[in-house]
Amino acid sequence: MKTPSQSSDLNDLISARGTGGEIQQHAVEGTERLTTAQGVVIADNQNSLRAGAPGPTLLEDFALREKIFHFDHERIPERVVHARGYGAHGTFTCTRAMADVTRAAPFASVGKQTEVFVRFSTVAGSKGSPDLARDIRGFAVKFYTDQGNWDLVGNNAPVFFIQDAIKFPDLIHSVKPEPDRDFPQAASAHDNFWDFISLTPEAMHTIMWAMSDRAIPRSFTTMEGFGVHTFRFVTVDGVSTFVKFHWKPKMGLQSVVWDEAVKSNGADADRHRRDLWDAIDRGDYPEWDLGVQLFDQAFADGFAFDVLDPTKLIPEEDCPIQIVGTMKLDRAVENFFAETEQVAFCTQNVVPGIDFTDDPLLQGRNFSYLDTQLKRLGGPNFTKIPVNAPKGCPVSNYQQDGHMQTAHRKGRVNYEPNGWGEGPRAHPLEGYVSYLSSVSGDKARLRPESFSDHYSQARQFYISQTPSEQGHIAAALVFELSKCAEPGIRARIVSHLRNVDEDLAAHVGNGLGLEAMPAPAPAARPTRTDLKPSPALSIQSNPPESFKGRVMGVMLSDGFDGSLLAALEKAVADAGGLIKIIAPRIGGVTCSKNNLHTVDEKIGGAPSVLFDSVAILPGKDSLATTAAAKAFLSDAHQHCKYVGWSEDASALVAVCGLAGAEDDAFCALTDAPSVQAFVNGCKNLRYWARETLLQG
Ligand code: HDE
């Protein structure tokens, strides 16, 4: 049977015309019937029941009433934070059995598989906000283990802005649109956010992450994930080991530059979700390794900071990451709302073998998630929604009733203990047993003294970046603070930066045009300068050296050199990448031999910011007078991408002011070997040396 998209003839789609000439599609033998929610087959889905024509619509039209009623209630409250998100299903496969450190089900044996659902998100923007906002990303994974659901509700940064949950509403209020004017959307570049930050020195480490390229990832699939808090692994015998969780993308780390992020949001506000959808759709399933940092109390005691402080990380160099499994996302959602919107993560969803620590942020989170789900999903039975229901184990308890109950116990017994000899019972050995720890101390509102160093790891992060990345951090700070109207806020931030790194503070102060540098902010503890750089924290120092899964945008016009395109297609395919053809008309483009080639995007519809590298192979029309083609080339060059171009593009290159600008990544394509050399280079993704030259 033809699908509507395959059928080009409207008449094929029409099975009847109504009296007004409107299109009616009627079910025929063997096809699905349209029904009401009560199961009554609908006869006419185009006209409501009227008394006369035209005449008043009748209240007795239950099909109309039900349809509109349901529509009116389609929306549920969006998440207060992490509203903008995208999910997919997959599998976690254990590659290292860890029964010696945890009884947690996913790590029981090598090769054991556990189904997962992942939701990636931004934090600040609302549900319809653009994907490439500068923001921390959520990285929440639900493991449907055979001992119950375990949610690892993490972020793409290993640290957080605040040390105590009581500050969370203020942090989030400050970053969200300002309450009187309701802007800016999905942006931290405004007074309220920086005002709050300037009065919250503990945020400085996470600010470094948020101003770095980590906060503008190329894709969900090119970012790391972190559990942030220190958790506990616990063995069957009750022995505990501290654990920090890390997700390492197999595609490697990759981000975009800020100008690209801004333009991407205009060109394709759905860039990240589309990228994930497309990757799964073409069978290029994204994967992450799960790594753990394991350490004991002795390590914690000897570590420079408190391992319970969520504004601190443990450098990989101090405590190596051990890879224990791989997650593969291989199934897109069937329905965005049913799955991605309704999925309910909760830090308290843990399974035997995984336990909490006294990290005050984790403790606060444990309180929050159920609360928000009750509000969003409307009642306590959201655990019955398929995406939230455990899959790997039975569920049996005496919980009953409530809104939308869909699973009821049979029979008389709804309590325990009971003398009827019926129903489920607790099991002291198989059940969840909390790690036995002693608690003592005064009841008071307090912050541990061991949490009071706010700058040392911010500095460590900064000095771990390449000069180019440091430049991006400084530029981001200048951009964001330039959006703050209140000069006092700018100065206060610079006063904190002086405690992080004097050069950074000077760059930002200069970029803002501060008349005088403010004094360094009073610090509870002086910044340590003995912490060594941690190369693992830099994206540029850890290039993927692969073009796998990356996309080259190839701009063509009629009469282009087909042999060059063929060489490009082969080289990119060999490198595991993809090509998208951009041309003046979506209907096709002809090569010099007059063969028609398919086109993916019209020029102007897919600017170069959407591609990892670009090639420009025009034909008779050199595209030198096409504004969108000029922007395509200029931006790709400006964004330090690998750019290949054929001789026929010389006029375009010249009008962009790039004649004679050849560098290792701005390459003339003349024949198959030059094409191969260009594609070999593309695996470096960017040519950062150009950035320095462009800045003069
Ligand atoms: Fe969340 N957070 N959070 N958070 N969080 C929510 O739960 C909260 C924090 C994170 O894709 C909410 O269902 C408090 C850190 C992710 O559905 C809410 C505090 C980290 C997601 C909530 C934090 C996170 C949320 C809103 C401070 C990284 C999206 C909707 C104590 C380790 C999950 C919801 C998804 C969502 C509360 C801080 C990660 C309101 C009180 C730190 C990835 O319950």
Side-chain angles (χ1 to χ4, degrees):
M1 205 177 104
K2 269 186 189 171
T3 65
S5 57
Q6 287 167 322
S7 180
S8 56
D9 188 347
L10 185 61
N11 290 321
D12 284 359
L13 303 173
I14 300 173
S15 46
R17 277 190 193 273
T19 47
E22 80 281 4
I23 297 167
Q24 287 274 6
Q25 292 185 296
H26 286 161
V28 292
E29 215 45 60
T31 62
E32 219 180 333
R33 269 74 173 136
L34 183 71
T35 74
T36 66
Q38 304 293 341
V40 175
V41 176
I42 292 172
D44 179 345
N45 192 34
Q46 308 302 323
N47 302 292
S48 37
L49 188 67
R50 294 181 210 289
T57 303
L58 299 182
L59 262 183
E60 75 177 54
D61 186 349
F62 57 85
L64 167 74
R65 165 93 178 99
E66 182 198 83
K67 187 175 177 182
I68 303 279
F69 146 81
H70 198 278
F71 170 76
D72 289 346
H73 297 90
E74 277 178 3
R75 294 289 169 272
I76 61 173
E78 64 175 36
R79 289 165 175 81
V80 198
V81 279
H82 298 267
R84 172 84 177 167
Y86 210 62
H89 297 270
T91 311
F92 173 77
T93 306
C94 176
T95 55
R96 189 188 133 188
M98 283 200 295
D100 50 332
V101 279
T102 177
R103 63 188 283 209
F107 311 111
S109 56
V110 171
K112 180 168 181 182
Q113 297 205 317
T114 304
E115 274 188 62
V116 296
F117 184 82
V118 180
R119 184 174 179 274
F120 303 105
S121 49
T122 51
V123 178
S126 64
K127 197 168 163 283
S129 58
D131 278 347
L132 255 163
R134 175 177 291 284
D135 201 352
I136 301 295
R137 299 299 188 285
F139 193 127
V141 184
K142 189 180 283 293
F143 292 79
Y144 302 95
T145 90
D146 52 28
Q147 294 177 344
N149 288 352
W150 169 38
D151 293 354
L152 185 54
V153 199
N155 277 346
N156 78 332
V159 286
F160 201 65
F161 295 95
I162 48 171
Q163 295 173 321
D164 191 312
I166 201 168
K167 290 175 166 233
F168 191 63
D170 298 298
L171 167 73
I172 299 304
H173 286 174
S174 80
V175 74
K176 286 268 184 183
E178 298 187 5
D180 50 357
R181 58 211 70 185
D182 198 35
F183 57 78
Q185 176 59 245
S188 52
H190 61 116
D191 286 83
N192 277 9
F193 177 69
W194 288 102
D195 182 32
F196 177 81
I197 294 298
S198 72
L199 301 169
T200 311
E202 74 211 54
M204 289 319 290
H205 185 193
T206 305
I207 283 295
M208 290 295 120
W209 283 78
M211 294 300 112
S212 80
D213 297 344
R214 298 267 179 166
I216 39 175
R218 180 253 193 216
S219 304
F220 297 136
T221 56
T222 60
M223 60 187 204
E224 289 180 312
F226 304 89
V228 176
H229 315 283
T230 297
F231 291 87
R232 284 181 186 281
F233 268 160
V234 186
T235 66
V236 175
D237 303 323
V239 178
S240 155
T241 309
F242 289 124
V243 55
K244 277 185 175 283
F245 295 102
H246 299 248
W247 293 107
K248 299 262 181 197
K250 292 241 178 167
M251 271 186 81
L253 289 170
Q254 188 182 345
S255 285
V256 299
V257 298
W258 174 241
D259 184 59
E260 220 179 339
V262 171
K263 291 173 175 162
S264 279
N265 284 337
D268 185 2
D270 306 306
R271 178 170 174 178
H272 285 167
R273 58 177 57 190
R274 191 189 307 280
D275 178 82
L276 182 61
W277 175 274
D278 286 349
I280 294 176
D281 195 44
R282 65 174 183 264
D284 201 357
Y285 302 131
E287 291 182 282
W288 287 258
D289 283 330
L290 178 65
V292 291
Q293 284 179 302
L294 300 175
F295 54 97
D296 57 13
Q297 189 63 52
F299 175 92
D301 293 342
F303 183 59
F305 305 99
D306 197 323
V307 299
L308 302 184
D309 174 353
T311 66
K312 305 295 186 297
L313 55 80
I314 302 178
E316 291 183 28
E317 292 79 5
D318 295 355
C319 180
I321 292 181
Q322 306 175 41
I323 301 300
V324 297
T326 302
M327 174 172 75
K328 179 192 272 189
L329 299 183
D330 56 6
R331 189 157 57 89
V333 293
E334 281 177 5
N335 183 276
F336 176 83
F337 179 84
E339 298 167 271
T340 309
E341 266 311 271
Q342 293 199 117
V343 66
F345 292 96
C346 178
T347 49
Q348 274 187 324
N349 291 348
V350 288
V351 292
I354 294 170
D355 210 330
F356 313 107
T357 60
D358 289 339
D359 173 338
L361 207 63
L362 177 59
Q363 296 284 318
R365 293 180 72 199
N366 280 342
F367 199 73
S368 170
Y369 288 68
L370 267 186
D371 212 27
T372 202
Q373 279 140 25
L374 190 63
K375 172 76 179 166
R376 292 194 64 239
L377 299 166
N381 290 316
F382 62 85
T383 54
K384 315 279 168 39
I385 298 171
V387 73
N388 293 323
K391 296 185 201 298
C393 58
V395 173
S396 186
N397 56 47
Y398 300 96
Q399 294 167 14
Q400 68 175 25
D401 303 351
H403 281 292
M404 314 289 170
Q405 180 61 270
T406 55
H408 60 273
R409 286 192 71 74
K410 290 189 183 134
R412 179 176 189 176
V413 179
N414 59 355
Y415 57 93
E416 201 269 344
N418 68 67
W420 302 101
E422 278 182 29
R425 302 274 187 272
H427 194 294
L429 295 179
E430 288 175 17
Y432 186 94
V433 181
S434 293
Y435 173 68
L436 191 68
S437 57
S438 49
V439 179
S440 66
D442 299 331
K443 184 166 78 179
R445 294 185 181 275
L446 44 80
R447 187 93 55 96
E449 173 56 25
S450 55
F451 282 27
S452 58
D453 180 333
H454 301 320
Y455 300 110
S456 299
Q457 279 208 340
R459 176 180 180 278
Q460 186 178 31
F461 179 80
Y462 183 72
I463 63 170
S464 302
Q465 308 299 304
T466 65
S468 156
E469 289 171 318
Q470 290 182 340
H472 296 174
I473 294 174
L477 283 159
V478 170
F479 169 83
E480 298 257 326
L481 295 171
S482 298
K483 295 281 180 186
C484 295
E486 173 54 47
I489 296 174
R490 298 180 211 141
R492 282 208 300 272
I493 292 294
V494 175
S495 76
H496 291 297
L497 296 178
R498 292 198 61 182
N499 293 335
V500 177
D501 184 274
E502 285 288 7
D503 266 358
L504 172 64
H507 268 99
V508 176
N510 192 29
L512 292 171
L514 288 193
E515 275 178 13
M517 282 298 269
R525 285 203 193 173
T527 311
R528 290 178 62 156
T529 51
D530 59 332
L531 302 180
K532 300 264 173 309
S534 164
L537 298 177
S538 157
I539 297 178
Q540 287 185 12
S541 305
N542 299 284
E545 290 179 353
S546 165
F547 202 65
K548 189 171 181 314
R550 270 75 185 189
V551 190
M552 182 183 289
V554 181
M555 185 174 274
L556 306 175
S557 65
D558 286 341
F560 71 92
D561 181 340
S563 58
L564 275 185
L565 178 65
L568 255 186
E569 284 175 333
K570 176 168 184 330
V572 171
D574 289 349
L578 297 166
I579 278 189
K580 293 274 182 205
I581 302 292
I582 304 121
R585 287 171 303 280
I586 193 72
V589 59
T590 50
C591 68
S592 48
K593 296 203 173 118
N594 242 358
N595 294 329
L596 187 69
H597 286 249
T598 52
V599 170
D600 297 299
E601 295 279 358
K602 182 188 166 347
I603 291 181
S608 60
V609 293
L610 300 180
F611 304 108
D612 297 291
S613 73
V614 302
I616 303 180
L617 315 178
K620 302 184 282 287
D621 172 7
S622 71
L623 302 173
T625 54
T626 308
K630 285 191 263 181
F632 188 90
L633 173 58
S634 302
D635 275 354
H637 182 266
Q638 171 87 16
H639 299 149
C640 302
K641 287 184 179 163
Y642 275 71
V643 180
W645 48 279
S646 67
E647 205 189 332
D648 290 332
S650 305
L652 179 63
V653 168
V655 294
C656 292
L658 297 173
E662 280 90 336
D663 57 33
D664 288 354
F666 193 65
C667 311
L669 306 178
T670 49
D671 50 13
S674 62
V675 165
Q676 186 61 53
F678 166 63
V679 175
N680 289 348
C682 286
K683 70 177 186 319
N684 298 319
L685 304 180
R686 304 276 171 152
Y687 183 66
W688 295 116
R690 192 187 295 151
E691 196 177 32
T692 325
L693 291 174
L694 288 173
Q695 284 161 357

